[in-house]
Amino acid sequence: MSEDEVRQQARKAGMTPREYCLREISEWKEMLHTVSDDYGGLDDDEFDELVEKEIDSFRAEQESED
């Protein structure tokens, strides 16, 4: 999503871009708990660490494909 799209969506939701992004992150984090067994039972720090590792790995894969 581009910065312009974030700003537009935030305006529609009556939020600042920061608030909008934080809300979206929160919702996606909850969804990860729902759809992936890898995240069940983790405390917040463990969850955040695993998410960061997986995001880094995903980005590296995407860059290698380009």
Side-chain angles (χ1 to χ4, degrees):
M1 183 177 283
S2 73
E3 184 178 342
D4 287 339
E5 290 170 318
V6 168
R7 290 184 186 283
Q8 183 180 30
Q9 293 300 320
R11 247 190 322 275
K12 285 181 184 178
M15 305 170 122
T16 66
R18 179 181 179 275
E19 290 169 331
Y20 176 78
C21 288
L22 290 171
R23 183 190 74 183
E24 292 297 304
I25 290 167
S26 176
E27 289 177 4
W28 282 110
K29 284 176 78 171
E30 285 187 33
M31 186 56 64
L32 273 174
H33 280 290
T34 303
V35 300
S36 178
D37 293 337
D38 295 342
Y39 295 92
L42 299 177
D43 67 29
D44 286 342
D45 290 336
E46 292 170 325
F47 178 87
D48 290 342
E49 186 177 319
L50 181 56
V51 168
E52 286 300 320
K53 285 180 184 177
E54 290 195 15
I55 289 171
D56 290 345
S57 176
F58 176 77
R59 286 179 178 163
E61 287 176 21
Q62 294 298 306
E63 288 174 5
S64 70
E65 290 177 4
D66 291 339

